[in-house]
Amino acid sequence: MTKLEAVNLVLMACGQPPTSSLDTGGASTPAIIERLIDQEATQSLTEGWHFNRRRDVTIARDGSNKIPVPAGVLAIDLQDSTIDTTHINGFLYNLDENTDVFTADVKVNYVLSVAWDQCPVYFRNFVAHQAAARFAEYRDMRERIGIIYARRDAARTRARRMDGEESDSTVANTFQVKRATGWRMNPWN
């Protein structure tokens, strides 16, 4: 699904005629929809999907003993659950010690931003349906909102199912099982 196809999905879901071209940066309805799609893609990518998660990545310290966060990272966490970290100004920050200086290289899990055309089709389809729901809310399309929500929910279910199939996870390797067995509540484990 191209960005133009996604914009047209939103337009048609909302009872509007399709467009023949994008109006990136413009003020037209297709331009507004394109921005909504971009916002929804970023928001949905932040949730972490199989295709944009990186696990067990070792990041070396730089010359100042800081841990640089890779470009495009939306969320990051140390595998060592005893250290509470966040990322600030492009570096990992140890919240327990109030420092961005580390004594050793670290192993992390992170969620990465992915360009629209590099995302799987199932994800792009879900994002387009999510954008249709937001656009319908924005335009107060009460007569269409129910069917748009139903299509969005079905697209999300399909996307999560397909994402799970790609991950080759077993039942024992799910968040719910790990939580029940005492693992730290970390979506990357």
Side-chain angles (χ1 to χ4, degrees), residues 81-148:
S81 62
T82 64
I83 302 172
D84 189 16
T85 60
T86 189
H87 64 286
I88 299 173
N89 297 324
F91 295 96
L92 274 183
Y93 188 85
N94 182 331
L95 293 166
D96 295 329
E97 302 291 328
N98 293 317
T99 184
D100 59 358
V101 176
F102 288 77
T103 58
D105 298 345
V106 296
K107 198 165 260 220
V108 299
N109 302 311
Y110 60 83
V111 174
L112 186 62
S113 182
V114 178
W116 176 261
D117 60 343
Q118 300 301 309
C119 293
V121 173
Y122 64 80
F123 177 82
R124 288 182 269 169
N125 185 55
F126 161 62
V127 168
H129 281 88
Q130 179 66 21
R134 280 214 30 226
F135 185 71
E137 292 165 357
Y138 170 72
R139 289 286 175 99
D140 198 23
M141 298 177 165
R142 294 180 186 163
E143 70 283 351
R144 292 184 175 272
I145 201 78
I147 189 69
I148 291 171

